[in-house]
Amino acid sequence: MTLQNILLILFPGFNTLDMNGPYEILQKAHDGNAFKITVASETDLTTAQEGAIVKRDIPLDDDLIANLHCYDILVVPGGTGDPVAAQADKVGGPFMRLISAYSKLGCSLASHRKILLSICTGAIFLGTMGVFNDRLCTTHWLSYEELKKRVQVAAAKTGQKAGTVVAARFVDSGVNAEGVHIISSGGVSCGMDASLYVIKLKCGEPAAMRVAELIDYAWRKTEGFVVLDQTVAPGQTTKSGQALD
């Protein structure tokens, strides 16, 4: 298969497993020959909430935003409440503008479709920028209410229907109007399940199962929520998740 490019963006206070879980899993697909991962941040060094410091590969700036078409997948980690809220409120900054811009990089060919994946409270960023308008989504269970508020405010600004927060380990809410595939994961370790699901989409289920075996991880693939029909109403029970009132 053709090597695909993944962009993973960081902010001060990100959660280390939100980054490293998806990084390790995606990097191992097809023995490292499926994806190339590039880490971007607004600063050369970015400190995680746990104190670890990560050096970026490239700057997260306007030049990167102008060249987002080079990336097949965007991964957006989360973190704890205060750092996430502070970053989400910088809607005019490069980090938030990049997420919005990527959500509009549509392609009519399914084989070349972009994937936008939020991990844990990274969903707060997408919700703030209206990416979940009229879509289903999830986040860490402690942040369900915050995400609901964010998607409602975003929808009100555009006159669209607010997104619906679902209790699930990950949610594939399908392709948006611009042609970008939107996926969100639940709290922290759920990002590993979502990342294996991305491998399944791009490389096939045997490749995902092989990575899960390599890292000795019990992939909870049936606890995700794949939306084939965007008509699930708030409060309606789904096969693998619960829509929250």
Side-chain angles (χ1 to χ4, degrees):
M1 66 174 294
T2 303
L3 187 71
Q4 298 195 49
N5 292 308
I6 296 176
L7 180 64
L8 191 155
I9 58 175
L10 298 181
F11 63 97
F14 73 92
N15 177 277
T16 51
L17 187 56
D18 283 7
M19 173 195 171
N20 291 324
Y23 194 107
E24 177 166 357
I25 285 172
L26 293 165
Q27 189 275 332
K28 281 183 165 54
H30 284 319
D31 298 320
N33 295 313
F35 304 110
K36 177 184 177 182
I37 304 173
T38 300
V39 176
S41 178
E42 293 181 54
T43 55
D44 187 44
L45 301 176
T46 306
T47 303
Q49 67 183 65
E50 297 84 2
I53 300 174
V54 174
K55 181 176 175 60
R56 69 187 180 188
D57 296 315
I58 59 173
L60 198 171
D61 56 16
D62 287 339
D63 287 340
L64 177 58
I65 295 173
N67 289 282
L68 284 178
H69 60 277
C70 298
Y71 297 94
D72 304 287
I73 300 170
L74 174 63
V75 179
V76 184
T80 52
D82 289 343
V84 168
Q87 189 69 32
D89 289 340
K90 298 175 183 177
V91 293
F95 184 93
M96 296 296 284
R97 287 192 290 110
L98 184 147
I99 293 171
S100 180
Y102 195 86
S103 72
K104 299 168 184 173
L105 288 178
C107 178
S108 59
L109 297 176
S111 59
H112 293 80
R113 191 157 282 150
K114 308 291 188 184
I115 292 179
L116 174 48
L117 169 64
S118 66
I119 308 297
C120 191
T121 53
I124 298 297
F125 305 131
L126 277 66
T128 300
M129 301 308 285
V131 177
F132 294 138
N133 285 353
D134 201 18
R135 312 197 69 77
L136 303 185
C137 56
T138 197
T139 187
H140 192 290
W141 60 271
L142 283 173
S143 295
Y144 286 158
E145 292 303 319
E146 178 64 20
L147 181 56
K148 280 195 266 186
K149 293 176 185 176
R150 295 272 179 171
V151 297
Q152 288 167 1
V153 170
K157 290 179 179 178
T158 61
Q160 293 179 279
K161 180 181 177 182
T164 300
V165 181
V166 175
R169 288 190 69 80
F170 66 87
V171 174
D172 175 351
S173 61
V175 178
N176 67 12
E178 288 79 15
V180 178
H181 202 148
I182 307 298
I183 303 171
S184 52
S185 82
V188 196
S189 67
C190 300
M192 299 172 70
D193 298 291
S195 298
L196 288 165
Y197 177 70
V198 168
I199 295 177
K200 175 183 174 181
L201 290 177
K202 291 292 188 178
C203 308
E205 187 162 336
M209 294 298 293
R210 175 59 177 159
V211 172
E213 180 183 25
L214 280 172
I215 65 172
D216 201 10
Y217 181 71
W219 180 20
R220 295 165 68 176
K221 61 180 180 177
T222 60
E223 296 178 49
F225 184 15
V226 180
V227 179
L228 299 178
D229 181 356
Q230 290 288 315
T231 60
V232 178
Q236 178 179 342
T237 302
T238 69
K239 180 178 179 181
S240 52
Q242 173 70 42
L244 304 172
D245 289 323

